[in-house]
Amino acid sequence: MITSYWQHFPHQADIGVRGVGPTLAAAFEQAALALTAVVTDPARVAPNEAVEIACEAPDDELLLADWLNALILEMATRRMLFRRFSVNLDGHRLRATAWGERVDVVRHRPAVEVKGATYTELKVGRIEAGLWLAQCVVDV
Amino acid sequence: MDISQFERVTDYEWRIAPFGEMHVPAVIYADQDLLREMDQKVYEQLTNVATLPGIVQAAYAMPDAHWGYGFPIGGVAAFDPAMGGVISAGGVGFDISCGVRTLLTGLRASDLAPVKQKLADRLFEQVPAGVGSTGRLRLDAAEMDAMLRGGARWAVERGYGVAADLERIEEGGCMAGAEPDQVSDHAKQRQRGEVGTLGSGNHYLELQEVAEVFDARIAARFGLHAGDVVVSIHCGSRGLGHQIGTEFLRKMVIAAPGHGISLPDRELACAPIDSPLGRDYLGAMRAGINCALANRQVITHLAREVFAEILPGTRLTLLYDVSHNTCKEEQHIVGGRPRRLFVHRKGATRAFGPGHAALPADLRDVGQPVLIGGSMGTSSYILAGTEAGMAHSFGSACHGAGRAMSRHQATRQWHGSDLVRDLASQGILIRSPSLRGVAEEAPGAYKDVGAVVEAAERAGLSRKVARLRPLACIKG
């Protein structure tokens, strides 16, 4: 059985987020979880409130950066953290729902704020039969 | 990295002759050990920068250079608009005008000792730090634009500081040419509650003691004496700068082919300075600079309020405020003639030498104060700009220690609570909302800042003036 997962990978000054899944949309969802995990343990976040996100880009790689940057903007302006994601892709157009809650410093113990998703180590594509990868470095 | 890739010019200057698409050489200022420890990515990124249109003289890396985004962090590059020169959002970075300011307190470390704990606690309560924190100010649309046009001057006009502060800030505290209309609504929305907040990561407010004086004459002119207490603040343009960086990086990547620019790395995205996109970015980036200057000014005011409450009568005067993520229009002598250049400093500090017209009149004969932030628990340094530095690196020096280890490695090696305890036993109080954040910023995760400033001095980029020892650190 193919499972989805996320990882962090090292960058000297910052941190890389990586999502892997059976579809490109699943890989994007996992990359978003990896983004939350830069700030806090996603298990501490309650998926109480839904936020809709839409973006469009000229290619899949820019779309990943746009997706993560749209989440970073929502995290910053709504002061929220997200735990669950549902991504729908139609070509290079993305529509998604992210579920989360407002930051609670005591419960979430947020380690660091993310400034932006970068184009460093930005890769989106198939890695092996039936598995997609979506990754980039985020500036913290 | 392998030092055989370089031509050794001196023990502190290493050159890569132009090859391939490079228009100019690449130069790294460092000693052999620092160079060897640098990531090979610094070599790749610096030689990539040397391929950009209109670059002048050389692509430079400072002794604290490390793997960045397109440009290395610790990179300096100047472009001539008359030669099709470019401006790069990646060459400025996401945290536009991130920088350091240092305030003199007139106190001795012995005066501070009885109230240090209380002072650290109150500063931690009063200066918003960390994820999700918001400032006291809420700016409406008109005030946001006024702040983006006025910078620290806007803050002083609204009672956050005194006019004398402005004389000790680059650009007199207000970057000319800022265009708030080029800053998106998203960027402004991100900033609405963030004016006067420290942020997180390596940003801090620190109480420090002058532990060592290297140049007594200049130190006295800067108002620094061994045993004095100073306050240093390290932060930038917060969410607004990050959003400007994100949005213009994307625009520049998409527009590059239309400008006839082929990018070896997308993070090097840039636009001709004399193009509509180049001008739009310049206007937005300058507004980002003002946002950072206003932010550090408001935080200064909060620190002054806390000192007034705990040590009434204490006057905090600004020594200087430097920015280390910028692109500035400056005049430099190249090939014997003055040229108008756009100098990118990404993780590099402006370090103008004696006599420069941009320096405050009362410091003009000694050179610019160059403030080098340490990492939590380690020393910071104050240097002075030199004449040689003007020729070596367009008047630029290093900006800090630079990471030696990733955040992930740091959290595996240290626990936040152990670090807080160890540092307390050395007399350094840490106040932070996040223990994991503390572990990620462990002093051992950074290079030796002492070696970095030593190399900067030996390379002639700046002169060492004083070393500061941390007493208490408010960490984002």
Side-chain angles (χ1 to χ4, degrees), chain B residues 335-406:
Chain B
R337 66 184 180 93
R339 290 179 54 186
R340 184 175 76 96
L341 302 175
F342 286 76
V343 183
H344 292 67
R345 295 186 181 87
K346 169 72 195 94
T349 310
R350 188 148 94 173
F352 282 165
H356 198 288
L359 298 184
D362 55 346
L363 293 180
R364 199 164 293 156
D365 60 319
V366 287
Q368 184 206 304
V370 179
L371 312 175
I372 308 300
S375 50
M376 179 185 61
T378 66
S379 294
S380 295
Y381 284 81
I382 294 178
L383 318 180
T386 60
E387 228 158 86
M390 297 307 293
H392 286 338
S393 57
F394 300 111
S396 314
C398 51
H399 83 308
R403 285 193 86 91
M405 190 185 286
S406 72

Side-chain angles (χ1 to χ4, degrees), chain B residues 152-168:
Chain B
R153 195 179 295 164
W154 166 87
V156 168
E157 282 165 3
R158 274 146 190 80
Y160 299 98
V162 292
D165 293 340
L166 302 175
E167 290 164 25
R168 294 300 183 97

Side-chain angles (χ1 to χ4, degrees), chain B residues 37-261:
Chain B
E37 286 164 18
M38 275 181 203
D39 198 294
Q40 181 64 21
K41 291 274 186 191
V42 174
Y43 178 100
E44 278 171 34
Q45 294 190 324
L46 200 60
T47 52
N48 281 342
V49 171
T51 69
L52 294 178
I55 187 167
V56 173
Q57 199 163 285
Y60 296 103
M62 302 294 109
D64 52 338
H66 54 281
W67 180 19
Y69 302 107
F71 276 58
I73 297 165
V76 176
F79 297 85
D80 185 342
M83 288 167 49
V86 293
I87 184 161
S88 166
V92 170
F94 282 92
D95 197 356
I96 295 168
S97 202
C98 181
V100 181
R101 65 164 52 188
T102 296
L103 298 143
L104 309 174
T105 66
L107 299 168
R108 309 284 297 160
S110 51
D111 302 328
L112 196 75
V115 293
K116 191 167 90 171
Q117 191 103 15
K118 196 169 163 200
L119 202 53
D121 290 339
R122 283 297 287 150
L123 286 167
F124 184 51
E125 282 165 18
Q126 291 300 306
V127 180
V131 179
S133 60
T134 50
R136 245 186 241 179
L137 284 108
R138 284 288 174 286
L139 305 190
D140 64 18
E143 270 301 270
M144 179 68 70
D145 285 2
M147 182 271 284
L148 295 177
R149 264 191 214 99
R153 195 179 295 164
W154 166 87
V156 168
E157 282 165 3
R158 274 146 190 80
Y160 299 98
V162 292
D165 293 340
L166 302 175
E167 290 164 25
R168 294 300 183 97
I169 305 174
E170 289 178 336
E171 326 304 336
C174 174
M175 184 74 226
E179 291 180 34
D181 289 350
Q182 297 303 334
V183 178
S184 72
D185 290 342
H186 279 159
K188 291 174 183 174
Q189 199 185 338
R190 234 172 127 169
Q191 191 60 20
R192 201 159 292 150
E194 293 195 356
V195 178
T197 62
L198 266 183
S200 67
N202 59 357
H203 294 154
Y204 57 76
L205 181 149
E206 214 164 66
L207 301 175
Q208 301 159 327
E209 176 186 0
V210 179
E212 206 173 343
V213 168
F214 305 104
D215 186 318
R217 183 182 71 92
I218 300 181
R221 294 292 302 280
F222 287 177
L224 300 166
H225 311 88
D228 284 356
V229 173
V230 299
V231 177
S232 291
I233 298 166
H234 176 213
C235 65
S237 49
R238 308 292 297 111
L240 181 128
H242 310 164
Q243 194 66 25
I244 292 171
T246 296
E247 291 170 6
F248 277 92
L249 184 64
R250 185 183 196 275
K251 287 183 191 172
M252 287 177 176
V253 164
I254 293 170
H259 289 130
I261 299 170

Side-chain angles (χ1 to χ4, degrees), chain A residues 49 51-53 69-82 101-103 113-115, chain B residues 131-134 138 144 184-194 238-240 242-243 247:
Chain A
E49 196 184 320
V51 174
E52 303 296 326
I53 287 170
N69 278 320
L71 284 169
I72 290 165
L73 178 67
E74 297 296 343
M75 287 158 76
T77 54
R78 294 173 191 266
R79 314 210 175 269
M80 281 181 73
L81 290 166
F82 297 104
E101 64 172 329
R102 276 184 77 91
V103 174
E113 167 186 77
V114 184
K115 295 174 186 166
Chain B
V131 179
S133 60
T134 50
R138 284 288 174 286
M144 179 68 70
S184 72
D185 290 342
H186 279 159
K188 291 174 183 174
Q189 199 185 338
R190 234 172 127 169
Q191 191 60 20
R192 201 159 292 150
E194 293 195 356
R238 308 292 297 111
L240 181 128
H242 310 164
Q243 194 66 25
E247 291 170 6

Side-chain angles (χ1 to χ4, degrees), chain A residues 97-114:
Chain A
T97 309
W99 288 269
E101 64 172 329
R102 276 184 77 91
V103 174
D104 177 332
V105 174
V106 176
R107 199 154 40 81
H108 297 132
R109 285 173 270 152
V112 73
E113 167 186 77
V114 184

